[in-house]
Amino acid sequence: MYMKRQDGGSVLPRESLLAQGVRLALGALSVSAALGMLAGGAQAQEQEQARDGEPAPKKMQRVEITGSAIKRLESETALPVQVITRADIEKAGVTTAAELMARVSANVGGLTDGASINVGGDQRGFNSANLRGVGTSSTLVLLNGRRMANFASPGDDAGVDLNNIPAAALQRVEVLLDGASALYGTDAIGGVINFITRKDYQGVELNVYGSGTQEGGAGKRTASITAGTGDLATDGYNIFAVVDLQKTDRLSSSQRKFIPNLQIPQRLGHLLSNFTSPANIRLSNAQRAHLQENGFQLNGQPITNRQINLSIPNCAPPANLYLPAGTGGVDACTYDYMGDTELYPKTDKQNLLTRGVLKLNNDHQLYAEVALSRSRSYYVGSSARVIGYLDYSKVPQLANAGFDTAVDADGDPVGRELELRMRLNEAGMRTSQLTSESQRIVVGATGTLAGWDYDVGLNHSVNTVRDRDTHGYVLYDKLLAGIAAGDINPFGPSSAKGRALLDSIQVDDEVRHARGTMDGLDFKASRALMALGGGDMALALGGEVRRERTEFRPSALLMSDNINNDAAPEGGKGTSDSRNVQAIYGELLLPFTKQWQAQLSGRYDHYEQVGGALSPKVGLTYMPSKQVLMRASAGKGFRAPSMSDLHRPTVYSSTATLPDPVLCATVDNNYADCAQNWDTRRYSNDKLKPERSRQFTAGLVLEPSQHWTFSADYWNIKRTDLISEIGDDIILGNLSKYGNLVHRDEDNEIRYIELRKENRGAQKAAGIDITADLHGVKTAWGRFGGHLSGTYVLDSKIQTSPGDVFISNLNKFVTDGVVQRWRHTITLDWDNGPYSASLSNTYSSGYDDQNSAINTDDGSVVKPNRVKAYTLWDMSGAYAVSKQFKLRAGIQNLFNTSPPYSNQAYFFLSGYDPTYSDPRGRRFYASANYSFK
């Protein structure tokens, strides 16, 4: 995808036409989070047209672009912004905001449909951005320069659901690659992404898109219609609306050849499941000892483990395997859930955006904007896991074991009840439906009053999330009774009575309902103050007040804690919380000379309960010649804890398969006995303090010729008082320090691991953004162009607690993700008359794998792995049948590249990292666009 960067530069009347366009492009790139910039591209085009003999241009308008509150004609400012145009989006063949952001090299570890795959997981359906890898909660997403309500479902990440961005309505996207707290507020530490929709549109445009994958699954169909009427200049009004509809098909692991090629059972047996069908039996220590004393054998050998399966070595392939090195161990079976699980969910997405503008006179306008969206994701997981209990006398192979009369070494009864680890296939796969709905209404006025450019608006934004269990989840008490009575058979097909029971206890319930509301009033005003050597000194002032509210309502059935595999949150009630936020900011533009310019800004935010802070910023640019621009900035910021950080209900979850060093020491490090998916409890904290940040940048922009531009920008961010949890892998790997967070029962086995939000330690990140552009090279075979946008990360590390050493996740997967050293997007373009073509490459460098399911003997349970670099090529071509009708076709993942093998143990999906790789494989797409006015 071609992402244009624009950098500060003067508009000089004696420049060549091409050089003038380049200069204006440079003028736009240096848009800063705190400092102003000029959006003069359209005016530049008008000037070029006038020089080519076209009609004279309209008067250049002062405009405002992301990163500044000052409207002006030209600017040399301090920081870069990436501008993604509508044409870039079309060439890339993407149809959602999340797919678009995956191609931005500075976006690291954002949430996607693939990464959210799990059963009973947190914040499913949430698609987010994560600039610099410093967190979704530190990346601000705007729609037309204003906030939207965050994804309502409580969880670790606070941010806007990209599913709520109407992709078909986008005119461009501006990605501000620097902390912008001084203008936008506390959640802009990593940067700002401003999705800008069409304005003043007239006519009708129809667009259809269809894609299919080579191996099946994950097909997509989209359709959109855009319609507008009224010319603001002549009619005094404009009204337009965009409707965007999308459907995506489910993708199963059974549809992809690369899944068996990963050899997950052989390589990652420890990440699979010990809940099987036929069921594994989990013996007590006394029961195992009694069987061993009486010579009980399986597979012709005496048993050694507490976990046994009476069907070994056959088990029930292909899902249930005999893997002595797997979680089942040498005496039991292991379930390979990656054999037929979901890699990509089925989704339905609908968006509507409508905007109206009424011109009162030449100086004042009224406007209103309504955005409605609904995204529905259908998640399908493996069949339910069940911990059941059965009297040993009902198991023929053990009926004569004598557990009812046997005693252990202390003289206590062995016990006749067997614990079962079973897979409930007869209840069907666990399915759920996640619906995220958004409503946003903005009304306001803009214009000029007494020499001030002003904009004032009211913003009402709502996000509602409904999470519904629809099938495969059953009532636990009746399930246990059916197992104990022998109606439900853990070891084979159940009776008709048992199957009827399973049908009768299926759950179909909206188990979680979350709603987040934001109501705000904001204003900004700017004006020129006095003339300086390089132009007018200008001032901008602004502020906002808003009220944030969150509600979380678990259903009565969920709170009864009687849904198998869907535990109730601790505390037995929902939550309802609100807070008020006030902010005021100012910005000053100081063009001392034609070469030197300074830009100063500052913002004070106050959050109810949390407190307030001042975020200052200063920037400086120096342009010694038309071909060279140097820039730098420095600032401070703070991020208030989110409502979820403060008030989230306790969540029951589990770790990846990890060994407990304490238990392993008692069983000779036999992982069949001491490695499990340990229960966790995740707690919020209403005593959290804000995070603090400081960041600085320095950059250089060069234009060596009329066809080339190049930029390099160094960035550095440090956050302190970091709001985070300690990773469960770090806790178990350092029990001497964090053992108090591991809660154990009377047998010293783990009951649960406590994961609590705290202000812990710090985070550091630094790197260099590099761009190179080749523009408009005309040849006899057409016009050529190219673009490189890349990020080279120099440092990325987190300090768990004050005084601890920093742990680097740069080129190494740690706890929940990795920051790759180098990521880039390269695009080559060609056009000739009605024909055009584009070839693009996205690349992520290789890295050291997680390797963190720790073996207390040799340091790892898997062979250390280095994940290979991941590179994808896309190609598309277009033909303009007429000015109104355009056809496009393309291939994504041209070489059918599979995700590289990874032994990561954080995400539900095993064998690869779903956060940046794409399991869909080679895809073919075609689109048609027809517009008329």
Side-chain angles (χ1 to χ4, degrees), residues 299-325:
N299 197 27
Q301 299 292 327
I303 63 171
T304 57
N305 296 335
R306 287 177 51 196
Q307 189 162 248
I308 67 172
N309 194 299
L310 303 173
S311 70
I312 66 167
N314 297 320
C315 296
N320 301 277
L321 305 172
Y322 181 58
L323 289 175

Side-chain angles (χ1 to χ4, degrees), residues 333-413:
C333 300
T334 296
Y335 176 70
D336 179 14
Y337 59 84
M338 286 298 295
D340 188 18
T341 194
E342 192 172 65
L343 302 179
Y344 221 77
K346 172 186 173 182
T347 62
D348 294 328
K349 301 177 182 181
Q350 301 91 34
N351 284 281
L352 165 68
L353 175 78
T354 180
R355 178 180 172 88
V357 183
L358 176 64
K359 182 178 179 180
L360 300 179
N361 54 44
N362 289 333
D363 293 325
H364 304 285
Q365 297 176 6
L366 299 177
Y367 60 86
E369 181 180 303
V370 177
L372 307 175
S373 68
R374 183 177 70 180
S375 174
R376 183 166 289 163
S377 303
Y378 302 84
Y379 290 96
V380 180
S382 55
S383 55
R385 302 180 307 158
V386 180
I387 295 180
Y389 303 92
L390 186 66
D391 190 281
Y392 82 98
S393 64
K394 295 185 178 181
V395 181
Q397 296 94 321
L398 296 175
N400 297 320
F403 286 159
D404 54 339
T405 59
V407 295
D408 62 17
D410 297 326
D412 296 323

